[in-house]
Amino acid sequence: MRELRGTGVSAGIAIGPVKVLEEARQAVRRTVDDPRAEIDRFRQAQQVSMDQLAKLREDTAARLGEDKAELFDTHRLMLKDPDYVEGVEGLIQSDKVNAEYAVDATAQRFAAMFAGMDSPYMQARAADVQDVSRRLIDNLGSGAQAGQDGRPAIVMASDLAPSQTAQMDPTQVLGFATSQGSANSHTAILARTMGLPAVIGLGQDPRPEDQGLTAIVDGSQGLVLIDPDQKTLESYKIRQREFRERVQLLQELKGKPTKTKEGQEVHLYANIGRPSDLDAVEANDAEGIGLFRSEFLYLESEDFPTEESQFQAYKEVAQRMGGKPVIIRTLDIGADKQVGYFGLEHEANPALGYRAIRICLTRPEVFKVQLRAILRASAFGNISIMLPMITSTKEVDQARAIIDQVMEELRGRGEDFKEDIQVGIMVETPASVVMAPELARKVDFFSIGTNDLTQYTLACDRQNPNLGQFADPHSPAVLRMIRMAVDAAHQAGIWCGICGELGADRDLTATFLDYGLDELSVSPASVLPVREAIRAR
């Protein structure tokens, strides 16, 4: 048994086989005696990959819709592309090299070609050819590709990018364990949204030989056990059952008001990234959606999502929530959420760079597509718009001007929408806190993004695991920022909530109640535990 310790970021216990997600790596070059046999190996791996992609396409279409499944059609076409196949087989034949190296070398050449093109769409194909080639190399290995046996597994990796987590099938994941990451990384946020145990910051990359071994992830204690002995395994099965029983007891809070013993009421909403998260929202009795992270619609797409595809997603959420509030954050791309087809330049410090509202205001053609979709969907439910990364009243004025332009366009098209739709902002920078009194007079609500507010207030990169001891969200500086934003909102007569991960921190529930916060929006799995804490106050 091997024991790894890190930081628990999502409570619970997962027990199951390990699925190792390895980072892209260059294949080792070997000389082969029989190029013909090596070409046969390549063709066999090619067919296995085609079959896998066909299954992934079928599953994705059923789960997320036809538009999301088109990615796998693109990958299958690449696998059969004559130039690509000729490049691999020609290299094997001429240089007498192993198939893994030939695939890797061909992929690098094609990726460089795509990346050098002027079109952002074609530049994004560089990532596709790399992805297809990694699949081929995996299938050229001695073992089956991770996760292809249909068994749900514990995902282990050095770290997970938002684009990776966005395309994961929740039914195939039991828990997460990563060697890097932070409590506010997107791996952690995804785990909490899905209600799955997760440990980050283990300090050791997963070993390839761990693939398929039984593991235990204790998200409460920040502990991962690889290949546990029978006594340990049985002990954790008991703990797992007890945790599930505790979760079941919380179900008794469904339908009960989120109100303190003295009658102070707080709206308790949920954070989501896609319509499929609504099952968890409904199962945990959230009173609304306090944060719809719309950028996941972009992360899951191979090109800019159309107005119609976005409209259908927003409409589905609005209708299923049945008149309950649905707050949609406009796209927050940039920083650690990179999307190839946006064609963003590399930045030395992307957290302080071109992201969120800055992209929307300088690329209004992208912003308007999303706004049209949101406004059209507002005719089917109680939708509000939330603008991220606001630092000045000028940005709010510019965004509202674009919203007004889009409204006029929709009137001209004869489209129905909510004319009095509420527009709020994320308070997640020190500038927005300092300017809160002025900002509050221009918007309908504040929602405090504590993840970024902590990062910017304490000057600690939220993705840097080495800063965990310094990036303290309980810092008096951060709490004072929150209190200032709440007071400014109330003085202007608007409501103020929290949609960052700190909203689920029950050690601070009493503090937030004292501040007079009107709303808390948390991961679906945290709704009932937070309701319990509020009702106990």
Side-chain angles (χ1 to χ4, degrees):
M1 178 172 69
R2 192 165 93 255
E3 179 179 307
L4 302 174
R5 290 195 173 273
T7 301
V9 292
S10 184
I13 293 170
I15 302 173
V18 169
K19 173 181 177 179
V20 176
L21 294 187
E22 296 182 10
E23 292 185 1
R25 62 193 186 282
Q26 189 174 30
V28 176
R29 176 174 179 149
R30 290 186 293 103
T31 301
V32 297
D33 296 326
D34 187 353
R36 185 70 254 171
E38 208 65 16
I39 289 174
D40 288 342
R41 282 186 66 229
F42 164 69
R43 291 179 179 176
Q44 289 170 7
Q46 182 188 37
Q47 186 57 55
V48 170
S49 300
M50 292 288 289
D51 294 343
Q52 290 170 354
L53 288 168
K55 180 67 165 57
L56 282 169
R57 193 214 184 284
E58 179 184 345
D59 293 346
T60 303
R63 186 166 58 90
L64 298 174
E66 281 291 325
D67 57 327
K68 302 296 187 302
E70 290 173 0
L71 161 67
F72 301 110
D73 290 332
T74 301
H75 284 195
R76 293 180 77 200
L77 286 172
M78 283 187 171
L79 268 177
K80 300 286 283 187
D81 180 77
D83 291 334
Y84 178 82
V85 173
E86 184 179 329
V88 174
E89 295 187 354
L91 194 57
I92 294 172
Q93 189 72 46
S94 63
D95 290 13
K96 295 186 177 181
V97 293
N98 56 313
E100 290 89 345
Y101 176 80
V103 168
D104 191 43
T106 304
Q108 298 299 332
R109 180 164 60 84
F110 272 71
M113 178 184 67
F114 284 129
M117 293 182 177
D118 293 332
S119 165
Y121 175 82
M122 295 308 295
Q123 290 170 357
R125 303 289 73 76
D128 289 328
V129 74
Q130 295 278 28
D131 197 358
V132 166
S133 300
R134 281 195 296 271
R135 180 177 296 278
L136 268 171
I137 292 171
D138 284 338
N139 287 323
L140 281 163
S142 56
Q145 187 182 18
Q148 294 302 320
D149 59 2
R151 291 190 301 164
I154 291 169
V155 174
M156 296 190 69
S158 60
D159 202 1
L160 293 167
S163 56
Q164 287 178 293
T165 58
Q167 296 184 50
M168 282 187 180
D169 181 352
T171 65
Q172 295 299 301
V173 182
L174 298 173
F176 296 102
T178 62
S179 60
Q180 302 176 38
S182 70
N184 288 323
S185 68
H186 286 275
T187 301
I189 291 170
L190 175 80
R192 288 190 284 264
T193 299
M194 295 168 66
L196 296 175
V199 178
I200 55 92
L202 294 171
Q204 299 179 32
D205 285 343
R207 302 174 182 176
E209 57 265 32
D210 291 338
Q211 179 80 6
L213 294 178
T214 297
I216 297 170
V217 173
D218 186 338
S220 303
Q221 299 298 318
L223 182 66
V224 176
L225 301 173
I226 308 293
D227 197 21
D229 57 62
Q230 194 60 35
K231 182 179 179 181
T232 302
L233 187 60
E234 292 303 322
S235 173
Y236 265 95
K237 285 181 178 179
I238 294 172
R239 294 190 205 180
Q240 185 184 53
R241 185 169 62 249
E242 290 173 346
F243 182 85
R244 289 173 175 171
E245 289 172 354
R246 158 75 178 149
V247 171
Q248 190 60 40
L249 281 174
L250 288 173
Q251 299 298 306
E252 297 177 4
L253 292 174
K254 284 185 176 181
K256 294 185 177 179
T258 309
K259 186 184 295 186
T260 67
K261 293 176 180 177
E262 295 182 355
Q264 181 182 355
E265 191 165 3
V266 179
H267 296 296
L268 189 54
Y269 299 158
N271 301 332
I272 66 170
R274 54 181 70 78
S276 59
D277 293 337
L278 288 176
D279 291 341
V281 172
E282 293 169 348
N284 289 280
D285 195 38
E287 300 164 19
I289 303 298
L291 172 61
F292 186 157
R293 297 184 176 95
S294 67
E295 60 271 14
F296 277 87
L297 300 180
Y298 293 77
L299 289 164
E300 291 175 343
S301 178
E302 284 298 290
D303 202 351
F304 292 98
T306 64
E307 176 185 329
E308 189 61 27
S309 66
Q310 291 189 70
F311 163 67
Q312 292 296 338
Y314 304 143
K315 175 184 174 184
E316 178 184 350
V317 173
Q319 289 182 319
R320 283 188 61 177
M321 292 307 293
K324 295 178 180 178
V326 175
I327 301 172
I328 300 175
R329 179 174 70 186
T330 56
L331 73 98
D332 187 8
I333 291 297
D336 59 329
K337 290 173 283 188
Q338 296 292 322
V339 180
Y341 55 80
F342 269 75
L344 303 180
E345 294 181 1
H346 173 74
E347 296 179 293
N349 196 339
L352 301 180
Y354 188 49
R355 61 173 294 195
I357 195 66
R358 298 165 185 175
I359 292 177
C360 291
L361 295 180
T362 55
R363 297 176 71 169
E365 71 283 358
V366 175
F367 194 26
K368 286 183 176 181
V369 170
Q370 181 176 41
L371 290 173
R372 284 196 296 269
I374 293 173
L375 285 166
R376 287 173 57 201
S378 71
F380 297 88
N382 185 12
I383 285 178
S384 300
I385 297 171
M386 184 159 65
L387 307 171
M389 281 295 293
I390 293 294
T391 61
S392 69
T393 56
K394 179 182 177 181
E395 292 165 346
V396 175
D397 291 340
Q398 290 176 328
R400 277 194 172 276
I402 295 174
I403 293 171
D404 289 342
Q405 292 172 17
V406 171
M407 286 182 167
E408 194 59 39
E409 288 177 26
L410 292 178
R411 292 187 191 103
R413 284 166 39 174
E415 297 270 10
D416 291 332
F417 63 91
K418 189 178 179 182
E419 291 276 359
D420 60 347
I421 191 169
Q422 288 202 335
V423 178
I425 64 167
M426 294 277 288
V427 176
E428 51 190 337
T429 65
S432 61
V433 174
V434 172
M435 295 300 297
E438 289 82 0
L439 289 167
R441 292 194 290 270
K442 291 183 172 289
V443 297
D444 299 301
F445 63 89
F446 283 171
S447 188
I448 302 171
T450 55
N451 304 338
D452 271 332
L453 185 60
T454 300
Q455 169 175 244
Y456 296 129
T457 300
L458 302 181
C460 287
D461 182 356
R462 61 187 276 196
Q463 301 298 320
N464 189 334
N466 297 321
L467 297 178
Q469 62 176 312
F470 304 106
D472 178 15
H474 289 209
S475 162
V478 175
L479 296 180
R480 188 174 297 180
M481 288 276 187
I482 294 171
R483 181 64 179 266
M484 290 168 64
V486 176
D487 290 346
H490 289 168
Q491 287 167 12
I494 66 172
W495 64 266
C496 181
I498 284 179
C499 64
E501 295 300 306
L502 207 58
D505 189 334
R506 284 171 288 169
D507 290 337
L508 289 175
T509 301
T511 299
F512 293 153
L513 290 169
D514 291 341
Y515 288 178
L517 275 153
D518 304 288
E519 175 248 23
L520 295 173
S521 190
V522 300
S523 64
S526 297
V527 169
L528 295 177
V530 172
R531 179 174 293 165
E532 179 186 49
I534 292 172
R535 289 174 58 85
R537 169 75 167 163

